[in-house]
Amino acid sequence: MNIGQASDASGVSAKMIRYYEEIGLIRPMGRTGNNYRVYGEEEVHVLRFIKRARSLGFSLEETETLLKLWQDKSRESAAVKEVATAHIADLERRIAEMQGMVKTLKHLAHCCGGDHRPNCPILDDLAGDSSAPGDSSASGGDAPLPASRRKTKKVA
Amino acid sequence: MNIGQASDASGVSAKMIRYYEEIGLIRPMGRTGNNYRVYGEEEVHVLRFIKRARSLGFSLEETETLLKLWQDKSRESAAVKEVATAHIADLERRIAEMQGMVKTLKHLAHCCGGDHRPNCPILDDLAGDSSAPGDSSASGGDAPLPASRRKTKKVA
DNA sequence: TCTTGACCTTCCCATGATGGGAAGCTCCAC
DNA sequence: GTGGAGCTTCCCATCATGGGAAGGTCAAGA
């Protein structure tokens, strides 16, 4: 099987297959006399594994860990579960972050006329004109930050 | 005000301030005789605007659009609202995508012993051994794809 | 046999937003 | 005048992926 067929069979682009080889995620493939890479069913299986892991949001680094665990027949499932739960926590953190953005934006968009007039609470918020009623807590972000780690003379 | 003070006042790193100038998001600053950039209150206000927009997930490109609208006193709020609602839709799409991942991962993690034994449904899923009960629809992903846009001989 | 064109190879570049760090200047306080 | 904080520019790295050029290879059809 050439790289094109392996790509079709696995759903991973030829470009990516070469890249995965380059970074050591998969072993260098054997070559035919014409210098073409040769793939077998096992390699395709590995590529599908990678694709599935990526589709679940695992980074290539995490994918590499999972791949090694998969190939290590004496692994402990606890190790796999640990990688998965850490990833779940990361996803949930990012989801919560984006949901916060959505909440704020929906509120602002709701308050915005969306008409021909220039008056716009969305821009007012971005500009820091927090003339919003009491809801400004929802527009979170900007953690207070202890003001300055800088050791400067700070004319301020 | 030097760049360091502007950074402190706006919460945008000096590195980023220079970058924003380089890509044309903000105008090139005036320089003092020693070639230092000089900032005033207005520039800091712009930087804060950018920071706020970024914290709500807007890309730099969207931020640039919003910035121009902000500075265009004859804007129509509809234009602003359009940018915001498109961004909300994008965020919601990405949230849904990640929630799908979380759902699948939680199911798999729940089914995984997480002990010293090698047996692991998480790896089984990644490997494509969908010995999962009926729930395989939730493990979605991989849109069917019309098989192949390739015009090849495809030994298949 | 020659041509065509689909396929393969390597190499370089681009993305988006940010940080790190080097080399060399300026400025200020002591 | 010296030390060090701060400024300047320039280059590189991240993460995963795609685009494209230049050139070699193979197979099918004229």
Side-chain angles (χ1 to χ4, degrees):
Chain A
M1 216 182 334
N2 283 340
I3 200 169
Q5 273 111 43
S7 171
D8 279 353
S10 66
V12 179
S13 76
K15 208 90 181 177
M16 279 300 102
I17 296 176
R18 292 193 199 97
Y19 175 65
Y20 293 160
E21 181 183 318
E22 185 193 329
I23 63 171
L25 183 59
I26 58 180
R27 286 163 312 179
M29 290 295 101
R31 305 287 184 118
T32 57
N34 54 25
N35 200 32
Y36 287 10
R37 289 172 180 82
V38 189
Y39 298 83
E41 284 309 318
E42 185 171 334
E43 283 80 22
V44 169
H45 202 178
V46 167
L47 289 170
R48 284 214 202 91
F49 182 102
I50 293 170
K51 186 170 175 64
R52 175 74 177 138
R54 295 287 303 126
S55 81
L56 287 175
F58 288 105
S59 70
L60 286 185
E61 199 176 355
E62 289 164 332
T63 300
E64 188 176 16
T65 302
L66 293 169
L67 201 46
K68 281 178 181 159
L69 286 168
W70 181 43
Q71 288 159 345
D72 174 9
K73 295 308 175 196
S74 68
R75 72 195 161 239
E76 302 192 3
S77 66
V80 182
K81 192 166 181 173
E82 195 179 338
V83 173
T85 51
H87 180 45
I88 290 170
D90 188 50
L91 284 170
E92 289 186 324
R93 186 187 51 73
R94 283 152 56 194
I95 288 170
E97 195 181 353
M98 289 196 283
Q99 280 173 335
M101 295 174 184
V102 167
K103 182 180 174 189
T104 301
L105 287 166
K106 280 196 166 172
H107 169 69
L108 292 174
H110 176 72
C111 295
C112 173
D115 50 34
H116 60 287
R117 289 169 301 170
N119 185 293
C120 179
I122 301 173
L123 292 178
D124 289 347
D125 176 282
L126 292 173
D129 308 0
S130 55
S131 51
D135 185 89
S136 70
S137 71
S139 47
D142 288 11
L145 290 186
S148 153
R149 274 103 40 247
R150 176 165 280 136
K151 353 177 156 194
T152 191
K153 25 233 158 175
K154 192 79 161 289
V155 183
Chain B
M1 220 184 328
N2 284 340
I3 200 170
Q5 274 110 44
S7 171
D8 279 353
S10 66
V12 179
S13 75
K15 207 91 182 180
M16 279 302 101
I17 296 177
R18 291 193 200 98
Y19 175 65
Y20 294 160
E21 180 183 319
E22 185 193 328
I23 63 171
L25 182 59
I26 58 181
R27 285 164 314 176
M29 289 297 100
R31 305 286 183 120
T32 57
N34 55 24
N35 201 32
Y36 287 10
R37 289 170 179 83
V38 189
Y39 299 84
E41 284 308 318
E42 184 170 335
E43 284 80 21
V44 169
H45 203 179
V46 167
L47 288 170
R48 284 213 202 92
F49 183 101
I50 293 170
K51 185 168 176 65
R52 175 76 178 137
R54 296 286 302 126
S55 80
L56 288 176
F58 288 106
S59 70
L60 286 185
E61 199 176 356
E62 289 164 332
T63 300
E64 187 176 17
T65 303
L66 292 170
L67 201 46
K68 281 178 180 158
L69 286 167
W70 181 43
Q71 288 159 345
D72 173 8
K73 294 308 175 195
S74 69
R75 72 193 162 241
E76 303 193 1
S77 66
V80 182
K81 192 166 182 173
E82 195 179 338
V83 173
T85 51
H87 180 46
I88 290 170
D90 188 49
L91 283 170
E92 289 187 323
R93 189 186 49 71
R94 282 153 55 194
I95 288 170
E97 196 181 353
M98 290 195 282
Q99 279 173 336
M101 294 175 185
V102 167
K103 182 180 174 186
T104 301
L105 287 167
K106 279 194 168 175
H107 169 70
L108 293 173
H110 176 72
C111 295
C112 174
D115 50 34
H116 60 287
R117 289 170 301 170
N119 185 292
C120 179
I122 301 172
L123 293 178
D124 289 348
D125 177 281
L126 292 173
D129 308 358
S130 56
S131 50
D135 184 87
S136 70
S137 70
S139 48
D142 287 11
L145 290 187
S148 155
R149 275 100 44 244
R150 177 166 278 133
K151 8 207 138 170
T152 192
K153 27 236 160 175
K154 192 76 162 292
V155 184

